[in-house]
Amino acid sequence: MRRRPRSGVVAAAAAALLATAFMGSAHARDEAPPAAGHQATQRAIEAAVAAGVPGVAAEVRDAGGVWKTAAGVGDRQTGAARTKNDRFRIGGITNTFVATALLQMEAEGKLSLDDSVERFLPGLVTGNGNDGRAITVRQLLNHTSGLYDFLADPQYAATYLAGDGFLQHRYDTLTPEQRVKVALSHEPPFRPGARHWYSNTNDVLAALVLEKAAGRPYAEEVRRRVIEPLDLKATSNPGTNSLLPRPSARGYSRLFADRPDRIDDVTEANPSQSWGNGDIISSTADLNRFYEALMRGRLLPPQQLKEMKTTVDNPDFPGASYGLGVERLTLGCGTTIWYHDGGALGWISLAAFTEDARHQLTFNYNANWGAETILPIVNAEYCPPAS
């Protein structure tokens, strides 16, 4: 849903396939009959599957209660249906969990959003015009740091995100520092604070800052502060475990740009390669519970929630703006939603919600293509039909 500058190789990989989101048969064996008010959403989900997305799992929460559905297949080899309670890799939605933990620590006086990155990670962000002394924690969270996105590095993308590179290196363990160094081999595209530009490097550094400030592993801190208090039983940080917990679908990707009809099963991959910027596993129900608690003030004091919802314009996507781990968008029908999307090899996820969290929609594709079908689902749920 954000437009992110990417190299040609990365454009064939996970996160880049969300870039154009706002610009087979449905095997719906696990679908519940659409509840009143969700028929249009059901049709839009079925249309996404008919357009080629293998399967979709979704949950809506509103004044009418909870509505869940699944369409399409979860396993292209066996034909097994997609199920409503599938767990999946949430990609960039991980950022909201990290931002929430950091804002809790700010409320406790353990850090300030205006602290420099250098304070927590001395000597790490340096070279080629990069300077951790000039970048703040706030700029990491709202993506105004100016740091290059390591996923846009052609060699990194060719090695870990596309084609034979991914197939050969999918089980490699990488450290966050290794990925940050890829970014620091490039000059920053702009000075800190000049504009918003989504960079996965910011997310990795934010997780490293969380670790240093907390004095414990990032995954442990997120679990202690968010996952356990909300009893999110389907949510986890997998470490280096390449498998998905059950129930889950298989994730698929078109890894080879020169062979667009080839589809590979990319379900198994070492999560260390997305540590801090996309490694969390969850479900539609857990994500709805998380964002409901967040937006209703159960996780953050009023001042920190206000900081989270203080946004900067996204110049690549007029009408959208980015806060601290959440984004805001006014749809064409005039409805304003908050949201976060998440792309990973084999997965696209979106969590959208009104500011009071009384109307929520979270859905997941078990493929990282079909981004052009995302907005029709959102519009179907949040925009009333034309009279």
Side-chain angles (χ1 to χ4, degrees):
M1 294 173 70
R2 295 175 290 272
R3 287 182 181 156
R4 308 174 187 174
R6 291 284 191 261
S7 69
V9 175
V10 179
L17 289 176
L18 292 177
T20 59
F22 277 168
M23 313 275 302
S25 298
H27 301 288
R29 292 182 291 250
D30 193 46
E31 292 170 6
H38 303 297
Q39 293 95 335
T41 305
Q42 181 73 46
R43 289 193 296 269
I45 287 171
E46 291 171 352
V49 174
V53 175
V56 183
E59 182 188 271
V60 172
R61 295 184 177 207
D62 61 10
V66 177
W67 176 73
K68 299 171 72 74
T69 190
V73 297
D75 190 321
R76 296 179 71 249
Q77 183 174 2
T78 67
R82 194 77 205 265
T83 68
K84 303 170 190 175
N85 298 316
D86 279 349
R87 302 181 186 189
F88 46 84
R89 305 189 194 282
I90 68 173
I93 294 175
T94 297
N95 307 346
T96 317
F97 286 80
V98 174
T100 300
L102 283 168
L103 284 164
Q104 286 181 356
M105 296 186 72
E106 185 200 41
E108 296 162 2
K110 296 178 180 177
L111 59 83
S112 167
L113 292 178
D114 297 318
D115 286 338
S116 71
V117 172
E118 179 72 10
R119 175 189 170 188
F120 298 100
L121 307 172
L124 178 60
V125 180
T126 187
N128 293 312
N130 299 288
D131 186 355
R133 297 171 299 178
I135 299 169
T136 66
V137 175
R138 188 191 309 272
Q139 290 168 339
L140 295 180
L141 294 178
N142 67 14
H143 292 270
T144 60
S145 73
L147 292 170
Y148 186 85
D149 188 347
F150 67 89
L151 287 185
D153 179 86
Q155 182 176 351
Y156 183 93
T159 303
Y160 296 107
L161 297 176
D164 291 322
F166 169 80
L167 296 175
Q168 293 169 9
H169 296 280
R170 67 195 298 173
Y171 299 113
D172 290 3
T173 296
L174 298 181
T175 67
E177 290 81 4
Q178 284 177 293
R179 293 182 294 147
V180 169
K181 287 180 179 178
V182 171
L184 299 179
S185 68
H186 298 266
E187 294 183 359
F190 54 88
R191 62 178 175 79
R195 58 158 289 174
H196 167 84
W197 184 69
Y198 194 94
S199 169
N200 287 274
T201 307
N202 295 321
D203 302 325
V204 176
L205 286 169
L208 283 170
V209 168
L210 176 59
E211 262 196 2
K212 295 295 184 180
R216 59 172 60 89
Y218 127 80
E220 182 179 330
E221 193 69 3
V222 167
R223 183 172 62 250
R224 186 176 73 89
R225 290 180 174 273
V226 180
I227 296 173
E228 290 180 350
L230 296 181
D231 196 26
L232 304 180
K233 294 188 182 300
T235 304
S236 61
N237 288 86
T240 58
N241 186 345
S242 63
L243 303 177
L244 281 176
R246 300 294 183 118
S248 59
R250 309 297 295 179
Y252 298 99
S253 184
R254 292 170 174 156
L255 295 172
F256 296 85
D258 59 343
R259 283 173 275 175
D261 293 332
R262 171 172 170 168
I263 295 175
D264 284 272
D265 185 326
V266 296
T267 311
E268 295 183 15
N270 190 323
S272 71
Q273 297 179 18
S274 57
W275 180 98
N277 70 300
D279 58 326
I280 289 180
I281 294 167
S282 192
S283 68
T284 59
D286 269 17
L287 290 177
N288 276 340
R289 283 197 293 271
F290 167 56
Y291 281 109
E292 179 182 32
L294 179 63
M295 298 303 281
R296 293 191 180 183
R298 290 173 50 200
L299 290 172
L300 294 176
Q303 178 58 36
Q304 278 64 44
L305 186 56
K306 180 181 177 181
E307 295 277 9
M308 175 174 270
K309 295 191 292 185
T310 300
T311 63
V312 293
D313 288 340
N314 181 350
D316 298 314
F317 186 12
S321 58
Y322 199 98
L324 307 183
V326 292
E327 306 176 60
R328 184 177 60 199
L329 173 70
T330 299
L331 300 172
C333 63
T335 299
T336 296
I337 61 169
W338 291 81
Y339 73 96
H340 208 294
D341 56 19
L345 275 178
W347 311 95
I348 292 177
S349 303
L350 179 81
F353 38 92
T354 53
E355 188 165 2
D356 61 6
R358 296 187 183 279
H359 190 176
Q360 297 180 265
L361 163 68
T362 295
F363 59 93
N364 169 262
Y365 293 179
N366 60 329
N368 58 291
W369 66 80
E372 71 281 357
T373 65
I374 291 175
L375 184 56
I377 295 175
V378 176
N379 279 334
E381 183 59 37
Y382 287 102
C383 292
S387 58

